[in-house]
Structure formats: structure tokens, C-alpha cells
Amino acid sequence: MILPVIMAGGTGSRLWPLSRELYPKQFLAVEGEQSMLQRTIARLSDVDCFDPIVICNEEHRFIAAEQLRVGGISIAVLS
């Protein structure tokens, strides 16, 4: 079975001024209402796999956990 590992790190410099160091692009809802992180995880819904592991910067761990909790997604957040 597949173990998805989602790398959600970054400094927020590529989509400036929308993204910032403390709120980088993966947490933004660029299209629709879900963030890019939420949309990435949602694409796994049709895949037979273990719960994904999300790897992020330590200062973003609470944002990642909250966004996925709101989406009802069971994950392990590593920082």
C-alpha cells in the first residue's frame, strides 16, 4: 500500500505579495475555497493508501494541522 508524503515547506517568496514567510503559498486558497495543501490531500481520496504524512516547517505546523482538521482529513504532521 502507498504511504503518501506531502512536502509542505517553503518561505512564501514565490507568490508574494499573497504569500508571506509565516503564511506561504501552500496554505493559500488560490483557486476555490480550499488551500493548495487541502486540494493536494483531497486528490488522495480515490487512492487506496495509508493516511498521508505532511512535512512542514516547524513554524507552520499549527496552520497545516488546522487546515487539515477543518477538512476532516486524518494526517500525521511532522515538523
Side-chain angles (χ1 to χ4, degrees), residues 38 60-72 75 77:
Q38 290 168 322
H60 302 140
R61 69 187 185 276
F62 295 117
I63 298 170
E66 178 62 14
Q67 283 198 359
L68 298 174
R69 185 196 65 77
V70 166
I75 53 105
V77 176

Side-chain angles (χ1 to χ4, degrees), residues 21-24 26-28 35 37-38 56 58-69 77:
E21 186 174 332
L22 294 177
Y23 206 80
Q26 62 268 23
F27 304 117
L28 297 174
S35 71
L37 176 61
Q38 290 168 322
C56 63
E58 185 174 357
E59 56 270 9
H60 302 140
R61 69 187 185 276
F62 295 117
I63 298 170
E66 178 62 14
Q67 283 198 359
L68 298 174
R69 185 196 65 77
V77 176

Side-chain angles (χ1 to χ4, degrees), residues 12-78:
S13 61
R14 291 197 179 130
L15 283 180
W16 186 88
L18 296 176
S19 63
R20 300 280 192 240
E21 186 174 332
L22 294 177
Y23 206 80
K25 66 183 177 290
Q26 62 268 23
F27 304 117
L28 297 174
V30 177
E31 180 182 321
E33 296 194 16
Q34 290 186 316
S35 71
M36 292 179 9
L37 176 61
Q38 290 168 322
R39 291 171 59 106
T40 298
I41 299 291
R43 286 194 293 274
L44 293 171
S45 64
D46 294 332
V47 178
D48 185 24
C49 61
F50 292 108
D51 288 341
I53 296 173
V54 175
I55 300 173
C56 63
N57 293 334
E58 185 174 357
E59 56 270 9
H60 302 140
R61 69 187 185 276
F62 295 117
I63 298 170
E66 178 62 14
Q67 283 198 359
L68 298 174
R69 185 196 65 77
V70 166
I73 300 163
S74 174
I75 53 105
V77 176
L78 304 177

